[in-house]
Amino acid sequence: MTAETLNAYWWLPLAGYLIGSAPFGFLIARLAGQRDIRAAGSGSIGATNVTRVAGSAAGALTLFFDASKGALSVWLAAWITGYSALWMIAAALGAIVGHVFPIWLGGRGGRGVATGWGTYLVICWPAAVAALGIWLVVVGISRYVSLGSMLATASLPILVYFLYAPGYPPGYAPPHSISIGTTLGAVLIIVMHRPNIARLVAGTESRISFRRTRANP
């Protein structure tokens, strides 16, 4: 990579961060009558907590917009750089970090699952679809959204490695930047699930439910 390339595109991860920081879950929950979604349920602004606290419609909207901001961040980088793998994964990581640590909410965001999934719809859609399948199977069997999210996230580096460029010999594709970035993103998302891991171990993690619950006053 040349210094000219760095100087031209250094702002793309920052743009990804700002796009990822858009607190859709927080805003949608407020429109649904919740004063601050971070004070209810798990405290996350992600789709799962919005669903539990504000209802399935609000949760579905949050899921759509959170995934869309991840996809938009990577698409923007791809369009500007001519599909540079390095800058696409850099924008993806920026979007995930932005969702997890949004500047607009003092760094208190979500777990990054939907936003991360949206980035891979652009980077490697077959891997994103396969990860969604894993999520559906795990959640369908266990009824634990967090467990499905973590297992699907953990599978992404492997899925991207084998599905990024089918037909090429293993080790040739994807580029190293994609493999490293995918692993870093997966680690961050799983680390953000520490409270869920503790509840799963203790047997107190909530199972999936689409019924609206009463929020804290």
Side-chain angles (χ1 to χ4, degrees):
M1 179 184 298
T2 65
E4 182 179 354
T5 302
L6 284 172
N7 290 335
Y9 300 131
W10 64 268
W11 57 273
L12 285 172
L14 177 60
Y17 171 83
L18 292 175
I19 295 171
S21 287
F24 288 114
F26 177 84
L27 297 174
I28 291 169
R30 288 200 70 171
L31 290 174
Q34 306 303 315
R35 299 175 67 182
D36 188 344
I37 188 67
R38 297 170 299 169
S42 67
S44 169
I45 66 169
T48 301
N49 195 43
V50 173
T51 298
R52 289 196 179 109
V53 175
S56 57
L61 282 174
T62 300
L63 178 64
F64 172 79
F65 283 112
D66 282 351
S68 295
K69 68 185 182 183
L72 175 62
S73 299
V74 178
W75 177 85
L76 179 67
W79 178 62
I80 290 174
T81 66
Y83 286 84
S84 164
L86 176 61
W87 291 112
M88 287 170 68
I89 195 65
L93 290 173
I96 295 170
V97 171
H99 178 78
V100 172
F101 304 111
I103 188 173
W104 320 112
L105 298 179
R108 293 180 58 195
R111 307 284 194 256
V113 177
T115 300
W117 185 76
T119 67
Y120 286 96
L121 281 177
V122 181
I123 293 172
C124 181
W125 70 263
V129 171
L132 176 61
I134 291 173
W135 184 88
L136 289 171
V137 170
V138 174
V139 174
I141 293 173
S142 70
R143 311 300 291 177
Y144 288 123
V145 173
S146 59
L147 181 61
S149 298
M150 287 186 286
L151 291 178
T153 298
S155 74
L156 262 176
I158 299 172
L159 292 171
V160 169
Y161 183 81
F162 286 105
L163 299 177
Y164 186 82
Y168 285 87
Y172 181 84
H176 293 310
S177 59
I178 295 291
S179 296
I180 294 171
T182 301
T183 302
L184 290 175
V187 168
L188 174 60
I189 291 171
I190 292 172
V191 167
M192 294 308 298
H193 279 81
R194 293 190 311 273
N196 303 91
I197 295 172
R199 290 192 294 268
L200 284 167
V201 172
T204 59
E205 178 74 328
S206 299
R207 295 180 185 269
I208 188 171
S209 173
F210 295 100
R211 292 177 299 179
R212 185 168 179 159
T213 60
R214 187 185 300 272
N216 293 335

